Amino acid sequence: MTGSGILQGLAETAKNFVGSFTHPAENLATIEYPEQRQKLAENTRQFPFLVFDGTDPEAGLRCVACQICEKECPPQCIYIIKSKAKKPDFVGKPQFFPAVFDIDLSVCMSCQICVEVCPFDAIKMDQDFELATSDRFQGLLFHKDRLAKPNSHFQKIHPTEAGETDTRRAADLEKAQAAAAKAAAAAAASAKPVATPANSPEAKNPPPASPAAGTPPM
Amino acid sequence: MSPLSACLVLSCLLFACGLGAVLIRRNAIVVLIGIELMLNAANLNFVAFWRYGPNPEALTGLMFALFALAIAAAEAAVGLALIIAVYRRHRSSDVDAADELRG
Amino acid sequence: MSVLFVLLAGLTLGAAWAAVTLRNLVHAALCLIGSLAGLGLIYIQLDAEFLGLAQILVYVGAVAILIVFAVMLVRGTEPLVGRLSTSPWLGGAITVLLAALLLWAVSKSPRLRAPTPPAPTVTVKAIGQQLTRDYVVPLQGIGLLLTAATLGAALIALPRRGSNPPSTPP
Amino acid sequence: MNTLDQLPETLKDHVVGVFPAGLQPWISALLAIGALCAIFPALFALTTVLERKILGRIQNRPGPNRVGPAGFLQFAADGIKSLTKEDIVPRNADRLLHFLAPLVVVIPPLLAFSVLPIGRNLVALDLPETGLLFFFAVGASVEVGVFMAGWSGGNKYSLLGAMRALAQLISYELPLILSALTVVMLTGSLSLVAMVEKQSAVQVAGLHAWNLFTPWGVVGFLIFLTAAAAEANRSPFDLPEAESEIIAGYFTEYSGFKFALFFLGEYLGLFAVCGLGITLFLGGWLPPFTWLNWIPSWLWFFGKLGALIFFFIWLRGTLPRLRMDQLMQFAWTFLLPLTLINAFVAGLWHFTADWNVLFRWALSAGLLAAAYVALSRPFARAFPRRTYRFAP
């Protein structure tokens, strides 16, 4: 019958139309941004950010300004100036730290190469995309203060990766402390046969053997 | 200047416009427009005489105009079909172009 | 001679004059539509309501589109080249002569002095009854004629099977 | 009941009464024009929003709900947007025609509204002799506007769109007029008010004798709706402004306010044709049952108008667009013959008035069903149902 196709079509759309009122949850597929938000996949990545331990972004900053990421970055959008002074890192070994660390987000293409090459887990990819700004020049050039975010943020957005990083860092810390303790004991043993007073100065600040910083898993 | 004579003057002038177009203009479409005008001028006469005539109840003028309307529409259709056929043959809608029959 | 009639007559005449004198064919066709619509309104003003509206429906609705389609198919939209006509004076003289003759006849005829009769009441039922009683044969004739005209027009305008496709003008 | 029903009429009489006698006919005409020019464009504004919301709901999305309460100020946003947009006129356009075309497309539907009986004696222009003829004469002049729009833009695509639109308008005008003539044949007069009067006869169980409740009425109404959809360039017949094929059809070269005027003209055309359909087949302002006439008559008219508009929007959400050849073949080989047969069956219905209702219905409905099947077979063979490898 010629008209039957039309009637079936009309019935189908009528079902949709009525369904959208009776039980909107199943029928209406729209997520009304910005009130409702879509749950982002775990390894979604937008732009990099610097991770710092503890609460003080200056002291706890993991970045040691080794500038590998600056060299590796394909669009060259990272700009680092190494500071002269040093500060102890998480195992207590004095390291340099970046005086200036800029990333031009308008150039960055979110390729995550900087995260892969960073030996110190200092830079990770953030999931924040609401960065619209009216200032075309300085608006998207983020400086160190704006890039630094606590490790807790990193754990919130990338839980699995953060977990692995933390366990690895904890293992390194113990290895370094064990090495330091062993070195202290060795120093104490070698100092004891000569004279007991010699071991007091080394024991206080034993030169920590530089920890073989495990290269982060590729 | 009774309304009847006003209508007649108007239809004369319309008829003159139509005739002028037919005689003067070279383009076939304008000739057809002229013919349409002439037909409608005649129609106007019929309606004017029916309206101001002795017994309008007879409706003769009106009926004549109605039939003339239908015929004019049919004539326009056939006329335009002829123009398109002539155009396809002579590649131009100029009335003077179709003159093969001239001796 | 009401003001409305003069206005409508002016509109119709002006549009008719424009329809025949304009060089651009599409404008001419549209002016023809204007004049025919004006004529329809004059019919309504002459209490021939049914005829006036039928005129608008037939002409403004259908015949105008017919003429405009013909203008398109005959590629009349290119600006006309050359003079409007080869022998304007002869045609013009005949037209003016005829118009003068008609106008003289109109002004002389005795009937025009008669008083204007009251407006007749035209009911569509009366028209219908006339059509189906006194004018049955012409009605069937018109039906036949219109069918023949439509078929004829279609056949003439259709390209012959196998005739060469319309080549572009030289 | 009567006060609310005649409210617009009494209101107008009060206002007209204030003016001196000489001016009164002019004032009452002005009021009627003002009312029509206010109600229907307002209905247009409401319909644009309703259309987008209903289409959204059909496609499982909520539709516009940002501007105003639940999105019902969206028409103001669209209006302001189209008013502030730059009005570009192409260089080799024919300026005068380019300017006149939207007017010639918008004014006729407004004229057509004056003839429609909106309420119990609420008709702006009561033409006792030629109401329907006035409606079609005015409706036919939209085609001139469509051509002017298509040609004046100087753009080949818009001219092509205008040609398509004209072919469609003309070939669907025939079934529209003939199915309306079927009703005229049985009402005996061209006046729309008389048509509604005739449908107010009470048959059985207080049911008003709408023309829809007869076999030829149902088929006539369906044909009328199909032709009305084509006449208003709606849903399956919106080929002339098919964005996918020829950009925006005959109003490609328009922007800003003129484009909004075309949009307005199209919707007003739809309301006019729907209004006529209601007057012819759905008993104008008559309630279906006599005990329902405590609801004012003009509310019935606008209620039915809303129902028809919903139906057209629903149709738009369902059916894909017809190809040009399907469109033309459907009009000439299916719709027109069916309309003629329907006119014949209506005549039969009239002359079998004294038969038993059952026989009468069986005869007419049987004839129409046979005609429908006979006519749809060649059409279905010409356009066979497409079979897809993976879709059902």
Side-chain angles (χ1 to χ4, degrees):
Chain A
M1 255 279 289
T2 312
S4 59
I6 297 176
L7 297 180
Q8 282 158 13
L10 286 173
E12 185 60 32
T13 39
K15 197 153 50 67
N16 271 351
F17 179 71
V18 170
S20 73
F21 288 106
T22 47
H23 18 75
E26 296 84 12
N27 277 31
L28 293 185
T30 323
I31 292 170
E32 306 216 24
Y33 180 83
E35 286 86 8
Q36 308 154 359
R37 286 169 183 270
Q38 194 160 15
K39 202 175 130 359
L40 293 177
E42 198 204 311
N43 40 25
T44 317
R45 57 172 191 253
Q46 303 295 348
F47 294 110
F49 74 99
L50 293 174
V51 185
F52 64 85
D53 297 324
T55 54
D56 174 8
E58 285 304 322
L61 202 64
R62 293 183 183 171
C63 173
V64 294
C66 61
Q67 297 179 324
I68 294 177
C69 58
E70 186 177 13
K71 296 184 185 66
E72 289 299 325
C73 175
Q76 298 291 317
C77 67
I78 299 179
Y79 172 71
I80 299 172
I81 296 176
K82 188 182 284 199
S83 74
K84 297 294 174 287
K86 287 196 175 198
K87 70 173 175 58
D89 67 359
F90 76 107
V91 288
K93 178 174 182 299
Q95 295 274 21
F96 286 108
F97 60 91
V100 168
F101 192 109
D102 291 355
I103 295 183
D104 187 348
L105 293 187
S106 58
V107 175
C108 168
M109 60 180 192
S110 319
C111 59
Q112 202 173 349
I113 288 178
C114 53
V115 173
E116 282 154 16
V117 300
C118 174
F120 299 95
D121 303 318
I123 190 165
K124 295 296 175 188
M125 293 305 271
D126 199 348
Q127 294 185 346
D128 175 17
F129 51 86
E130 282 149 343
L131 303 167
T133 164
S134 55
D135 168 11
R136 278 183 304 157
F137 304 105
Q138 300 305 329
L140 286 172
L141 181 62
F142 280 13
H143 304 299
K144 183 171 67 170
D145 52 358
R146 181 125 182 236
L147 285 172
K149 289 190 177 157
N151 188 19
S152 59
H153 174 69
F154 177 44
Q155 277 151 358
K156 186 160 66 65
I157 50 175
H158 298 298
T160 48
E161 188 190 349
E164 288 151 14
T165 323
D166 286 352
T167 49
R168 188 166 20 81
R169 286 175 68 86
D172 288 354
L173 191 61
E174 272 134 30
K175 194 144 41 61
Q177 275 158 359
K182 191 154 52 51
S190 61
K192 200 161 33 299
V194 167
T196 54
N199 63 12
S200 60
E202 287 85 4
K204 249 195 304 316
N205 51 6
S210 76
T215 55
M218 221 18 96
Chain B
M1 183 62 138
S2 71
L4 179 57
S5 59
C7 285
L8 296 187
V9 166
L10 175 64
S11 81
C12 289
L13 294 178
L14 273 179
F15 189 83
C17 283
L19 188 66
V22 169
L23 294 181
I24 297 172
R25 288 295 292 265
R26 280 173 36 195
N27 190 317
I29 305 271
V30 181
V31 167
L32 195 103
I33 289 178
I35 294 171
E36 282 297 317
L37 280 177
M38 285 198 273
L39 276 166
N40 279 285
N43 248 353
L44 176 60
N45 266 358
F46 280 117
V47 176
F49 276 114
W50 160 74
R51 167 69 178 76
Y52 298 110
N55 62 341
E57 280 66 31
L59 288 182
T60 44
L62 194 64
M63 303 311 288
F64 204 102
L66 215 58
F67 282 112
L69 197 76
I71 294 178
E75 175 271 333
V78 173
L80 288 165
L82 282 176
I83 290 175
I84 291 166
V86 163
Y87 177 80
R88 184 174 303 120
R89 178 72 183 71
H90 290 291
R91 200 47 64 244
S92 98
S93 61
D94 187 342
V95 175
D96 303 338
D99 53 2
E100 278 98 358
L101 288 183
R102 206 152 48 124
Chain C
M1 263 276 279
S2 68
V3 174
L4 181 63
F5 179 80
V6 170
L7 206 69
L8 287 177
L11 166 82
T12 316
L13 257 181
W17 176 259
V20 287
T21 47
L22 283 179
R23 297 185 71 86
N24 181 334
L25 269 186
V26 175
H27 289 188
L30 292 178
C31 286
L32 176 72
I33 299 169
S35 87
L36 296 180
L39 214 57
L41 296 179
I42 288 177
Y43 290 157
I44 294 175
Q45 211 242 341
L46 288 174
D47 298 314
E49 217 175 283
F50 184 80
L51 187 70
L53 290 174
Q55 154 111 347
I56 291 177
L57 179 64
V58 166
Y59 277 105
V60 175
V63 172
I65 307 296
L66 206 65
I67 294 179
V68 153
F69 262 52
V71 167
M72 291 296 124
L73 290 175
V74 164
R75 262 200 283 284
T77 48
E78 275 86 6
L80 297 176
V81 67
R83 295 176 48 254
L84 274 188
S85 77
T86 47
S87 61
W89 300 114
L90 184 62
I94 293 173
T95 317
V96 167
L97 202 66
L98 187 81
L101 179 68
L102 286 175
L103 289 176
W104 174 78
V106 159
S107 60
K108 275 289 173 289
S109 108
R111 169 175 306 289
L112 304 187
R113 245 76 65 203
T116 58
T121 57
V122 179
T123 65
V124 176
K125 192 178 287 295
I127 294 178
Q129 274 153 3
Q130 288 259 355
L131 269 178
T132 48
R133 281 204 190 83
D134 313 347
Y135 297 88
V136 173
V137 175
L139 188 67
Q140 309 310 330
I142 279 285
L144 202 65
L145 179 118
L146 285 174
T147 331
T150 325
L151 293 179
L155 283 178
I156 295 172
L158 277 178
R160 291 287 177 284
R161 290 278 176 282
S163 74
N164 49 22
S167 59
T168 54
Chain D
M1 182 277 291
N2 205 345
T3 52
L4 193 57
D5 182 22
Q6 292 314 107
L7 187 63
E9 198 60 28
T10 44
L11 211 63
K12 190 175 90 165
D13 296 344
H14 284 312
V15 172
V16 168
V18 167
F19 289 88
L23 275 179
Q24 287 195 340
W26 297 95
I27 297 298
S28 73
L30 219 62
L31 276 179
I33 294 168
L36 285 181
C37 289
I39 296 170
F40 284 99
L43 198 61
F44 153 71
L46 188 68
T47 317
T48 48
V49 178
L50 270 181
E51 169 140 28
R52 290 176 59 178
K53 282 198 86 68
I54 294 172
L55 277 184
R57 292 280 169 173
I58 284 179
Q59 295 154 0
N60 291 341
R61 53 183 174 79
N65 52 11
R66 293 285 171 192
V67 187
F72 275 93
L73 274 183
Q74 185 68 31
F75 69 86
D78 293 347
I80 293 166
K81 176 195 75 175
S82 68
L83 282 176
T84 51
K85 270 203 177 143
E86 187 204 356
D87 189 358
I88 303 158
V89 178
R91 192 174 332 106
N92 56 11
D94 183 330
R95 309 195 81 75
L96 177 65
L97 288 192
H98 196 266
F99 176 76
L100 277 181
L103 298 182
V104 176
V105 167
V106 167
I107 289 174
L110 284 174
L111 288 177
F113 288 134
S114 61
V115 177
L116 293 178
I118 290 172
R120 184 152 282 113
N121 43 47
L122 282 183
V123 57
L125 174 66
D126 179 11
L127 294 172
E129 285 310 312
T130 56
L132 191 66
L133 190 59
F134 177 86
F135 185 92
F136 283 126
V138 160
S141 50
V142 172
E143 285 146 14
V144 177
V146 164
F147 169 75
M148 279 159 70
W151 183 75
S152 65
N155 159 358
K156 297 252 176 323
Y157 281 113
S158 69
L159 184 59
L160 192 62
M163 291 294 182
R164 281 186 178 199
L166 285 181
Q168 172 184 322
L169 286 178
I170 288 180
S171 57
Y172 278 91
E173 198 173 348
L174 226 55
L176 191 78
I177 292 182
L178 285 180
S179 61
L181 282 191
T182 317
V183 176
V184 166
M185 187 170 70
L186 282 169
T187 317
S189 135
L190 273 170
S191 148
L192 294 171
V193 176
M195 284 178 198
V196 175
E197 220 50 56
K198 182 153 191 334
Q199 291 177 42
S200 65
V202 179
Q203 278 168 331
V204 56
L207 196 65
H208 275 297
W210 288 5
N211 285 334
L212 188 62
F213 303 145
T214 59
W216 61 271
V218 172
V219 173
F221 186 54
L222 287 179
I223 294 170
F224 189 88
L225 281 191
T226 325
E231 202 68 23
N233 290 346
R234 282 290 304 182
S235 75
F237 305 98
D238 53 3
L239 204 70
E241 73 245 9
E243 295 76 11
S244 48
E245 283 108 30
I246 29 172
I247 310 161
Y250 51 84
F251 40 84
T252 320
E253 292 304 332
Y254 284 89
S255 54
F257 188 61
K258 290 192 196 129
F259 185 80
L261 271 184
F262 272 106
F263 210 56
L264 172 68
E266 193 174 297
Y267 271 95
L268 288 182
L270 174 69
F271 298 154
V273 166
C274 282
L276 183 67
I278 290 167
T279 314
L280 292 176
F281 293 98
L282 299 180
W285 41 266
L286 289 169
F289 293 98
T290 46
W291 43 269
L292 272 176
N293 56 16
W294 50 274
I295 301 171
S297 57
W298 40 270
L299 208 59
W300 278 109
F301 181 83
F302 283 105
K304 291 176 198 169
L305 191 61
L308 274 183
I309 291 169
F310 174 78
F311 171 73
F312 277 116
I313 296 172
W314 179 17
L315 211 61
R316 177 174 179 188
T318 318
L319 295 179
R321 190 172 291 134
L322 278 177
R323 263 199 336 256
M324 195 60 190
D325 60 332
Q326 290 166 334
L327 191 88
M328 300 310 275
Q329 178 139 8
F330 180 67
W332 293 101
T333 60
F334 179 77
L335 215 54
L336 193 55
L338 192 62
T339 320
L340 295 177
I341 293 170
N342 188 29
F344 171 72
V345 166
L348 211 64
W349 177 267
H350 177 68
F351 287 114
T352 59
D354 44 15
W355 281 23
N356 170 334
V357 180
L358 236 56
F359 291 156
R360 198 180 181 201
W361 259 86
L363 175 71
S364 307
L367 263 176
L368 283 174
Y372 179 80
V373 170
L375 283 170
S376 62
R377 183 154 301 119
F379 187 72
R381 208 175 313 113
F383 302 102
R385 190 182 182 84
R386 287 167 62 135
T387 54
Y388 303 92
R389 217 145 32 100
F390 301 107

